[in-house]
Amino acid sequence: MRSRTDRRPMAPTLLRFGLLLLAGSSLVTCKPRPEPRPPRPEPRPDVTSGPTRPAARRPSRRPEPARPRPVVAWRARPPRPGPAPAIVTPKVESRTLRNGLTVLMVRRPALPLVALRLVVRAGSWEDPKGKPGVAYMTADMLNEGAAGLDAMALAKRAGQLGATLRTHAGEDGSHLSLVVLRRNLRPALALLSKVATRPTFPAAELARRKAANSNVVARVLMYPTYVASIVFARALFGRSHPYGRLDMGRPAQIRAITRRDLLRFYRTHYRPRNAALVVVGDVTWRTLLPRVRRAFGRWRGRRTASKMSGHKPRPVSGRLLVVNRPGAPQSVLRVGEVGHARNHKDMVGLLVINTILGGSFSSRINMSLREKHGYTYGAHSRFSFSRRPS
C-alpha cells in the first residue's frame, strides 16, 4: 500500500491534465472555417487532338397542337359593303384673257395653298420629223435660264417661295408646275411667267442636259420592265409613231438636238392660245385674275401651232416577241392591243371594267395569281387613254 505521502502529488497532476483538455477543446471549437474553393473550370476540348463527342441534348418537348377556334356564326358570312361614299366633283370655273390664255380655277379653301400648272398642248407627238426628243428637251430647258436669270438664280427664287419649279413633256403635252402658300401667289405667278414666256435656252446648259438625259436613257434600258414597255409600244405603233418611241429619244438622237431646234419648237407651240393655266387652292377670282393678267397679259405668240399630224397605229396580228436578257433576275410579260382615246364615249365604263379586271391590287387577275396559285408576283391591266388611240 502506498502511504499518504505518496498520494499527495497526484492531485495537482490531474488538475493540470484537466485544464489542458479544456483548453484544447476550446481551441478546436474557435478555429474559423476555411473559405470554399471556387469550382474548377471544365477542361476545353483540344482542337488539335481531334473531334470531341458532343454533349447529350435533352429531348425537347413537342409543341402542343393549336386548338381549333370555335365556330362563330357571324364568321361564316362576309361583311356587307357599307353605303357608297358621296362623290363631290370639283367645280371648274373658266376665264379667258385677251391674248387667248385660258385660266381654269378650282376653289379649295381647306388649306392656305395654291397649286399652279401651265399646260401647253404640245408634246412628243409634235416632235419634228426625224428629231425625236425635241419636245422633251424644250420643256427640260425652260428652268435652266429665263429673263436674264440662270438656273441657280431661278432655283433660288423658287426656294425663297418655299416651292420647286418643275417642267415636263409627255406624249400629248408639256407643263410647268409649282405649289406655294397663298401669300406667295403673286411672286409665284411672276416666276412662272418668266420661265414660260422668256426662256433663253443657254448653250452651256443644253450641253449639260444632253449628257444627263443620255445617261438616263442608257440606265433605263438596263431594266427589264422598261425594255418590255418600249418593245411592246413599238410592236403596236411602229418605230416612227410618237407612241412607239421614247419621249426623250435615244442617246444618239438626244446628242443631235441643237439650240435652234428648241427655239423653233418653242416659237411654234408655246403660245397663249395653245395653253391653259390651271389654279387650284384657297383663291378667288377677285384676287387671282388681276395677278394673272399682270403676269401673262403681255404673252404673245409669233406663229400658229401646227396641225395634228396623221400618225396611225400599225396593224397587229397575233405575234410573240422575245427579248433575251441573260442573267436577268425576273421575266416581264406584256399582252395587249391598241385601245381607245380619252374622248371615247365609253371611257367611264372602261375604267370600271379595268378596275375589276386588273386595275387594283384586289382585282381578279392579281388575286388569281396570288391566292389561287400562291405566286408572289403581280399582275395588272390598264388603259392608256391618251389624246389619240393608245
Side-chain angles (χ1 to χ4, degrees):
M1 291 182 65
R2 290 183 179 181
S3 62
R4 184 177 294 179
T5 57
D6 295 337
R7 292 196 298 266
R8 286 178 180 176
M10 295 285 295
T13 303
L14 294 173
L15 180 61
R16 287 195 297 269
F17 183 76
L19 293 174
L20 290 174
L21 289 176
L22 291 173
S25 62
S26 63
L27 290 175
V28 172
T29 55
C30 295
K31 186 177 180 181
R33 295 182 180 180
E35 297 182 359
R37 296 180 180 180
R40 295 181 180 181
E42 296 182 1
R44 298 181 179 179
D46 189 4
V47 180
T48 58
S49 62
T52 58
R53 181 179 298 177
R57 298 181 178 178
R58 296 181 179 179
S60 59
R61 297 182 179 179
R62 295 182 179 179
E64 297 181 359
R67 297 180 179 179
R69 301 179 66 178
V71 179
V72 186
W74 62 267
R75 292 183 183 274
R77 296 189 302 271
R80 296 180 180 180
I87 300 177
V88 181
T89 57
K91 182 181 179 181
V92 183
E93 302 178 30
S94 176
R95 298 286 191 277
T96 304
L97 302 186
R98 292 182 178 179
N99 59 1
L101 177 64
T102 302
V103 183
L104 304 175
M105 187 190 72
V106 178
R107 289 204 62 196
R108 287 296 175 90
L111 293 175
L113 297 174
V114 181
L116 304 173
R117 173 167 293 196
L118 182 67
V119 182
V120 180
R121 193 178 298 179
S124 60
W125 187 280
E126 284 76 23
D127 276 337
K129 187 176 182 180
K131 286 278 188 176
V134 172
Y136 188 94
M137 185 64 71
T138 302
D140 202 20
M141 284 289 297
L142 290 177
N143 56 357
E144 298 294 343
L149 302 175
D150 59 5
M152 295 298 294
L154 291 174
K156 184 178 180 179
R157 291 272 183 100
Q160 292 172 349
L161 300 176
T164 301
L165 180 61
R166 304 183 185 277
T167 61
H168 179 72
E171 299 170 344
D172 297 323
S174 307
H175 66 261
L176 303 83
S177 61
L178 54 84
V179 180
V180 295
L181 292 172
R182 178 183 55 192
R183 65 171 181 264
N184 294 331
L185 177 60
R186 182 174 178 178
L189 285 170
L191 178 62
L192 190 66
S193 173
K194 290 179 180 179
V195 174
T197 64
R198 300 166 62 188
T200 56
F201 302 109
E205 297 297 334
L206 175 59
R208 183 179 63 84
R209 293 308 310 166
K210 288 165 64 174
N213 290 352
S214 299
N215 293 334
V216 170
V217 173
R219 187 170 65 252
V220 162
L221 294 178
M222 297 173 59
Y223 294 95
T225 302
Y226 290 99
V227 173
S229 299
I230 294 170
V231 175
F232 174 71
R234 184 185 300 174
L236 291 181
F237 297 98
R239 184 185 296 267
S240 60
H241 194 279
Y243 292 172
R245 60 179 184 238
L246 287 172
D247 295 336
M248 300 175 64
R250 292 186 171 271
Q253 297 168 341
I254 294 174
R255 290 191 293 268
I257 296 175
T258 64
R259 184 173 181 270
R260 181 178 298 179
D261 297 330
L262 304 184
L263 289 173
R264 185 178 302 169
F265 187 90
Y266 174 82
R267 292 169 181 172
T268 302
H269 301 285
Y270 280 72
R271 303 175 302 105
R273 295 186 181 276
N274 198 39
L277 178 63
V278 183
V279 183
V280 180
D282 187 12
V283 67
T284 62
W285 284 118
R286 184 176 180 180
T287 58
L288 175 64
L289 205 55
R291 289 171 171 78
V292 173
R293 288 171 178 167
R294 181 177 300 178
F296 291 93
R298 298 181 181 180
W299 188 18
R300 298 289 185 270
R302 299 184 180 181
R303 300 183 183 180
T304 57
S306 59
K307 296 181 180 181
M308 185 185 305
S309 54
H311 296 284
K312 295 182 179 180
R314 60 187 303 179
V316 177
S317 57
R319 290 192 299 165
L320 176 63
L321 301 178
V322 179
V323 180
N324 185 21
R325 296 296 297 269
Q330 61 183 1
S331 299
V332 183
L333 305 177
R334 292 285 187 271
V335 182
E337 60 181 355
V338 178
H340 298 292
R342 180 174 293 274
N343 59 354
H344 193 270
K345 62 179 181 178
D346 294 331
M347 175 185 172
V348 177
L350 293 174
L351 287 175
V352 175
I353 292 175
N354 183 69
T355 303
I356 299 173
L357 176 64
S360 65
F361 184 84
S362 59
S363 57
R364 291 184 178 180
I365 58 177
N366 196 50
M367 288 295 99
S368 174
L369 192 74
R370 286 177 172 262
E371 293 188 348
K372 183 178 180 180
H373 298 283
Y375 296 137
T376 58
Y377 305 102
H380 65 277
S381 64
R382 71 182 182 94
F383 287 90
S384 295
F385 285 129
S386 300
R387 290 180 61 194
R388 293 91 174 176
S390 51

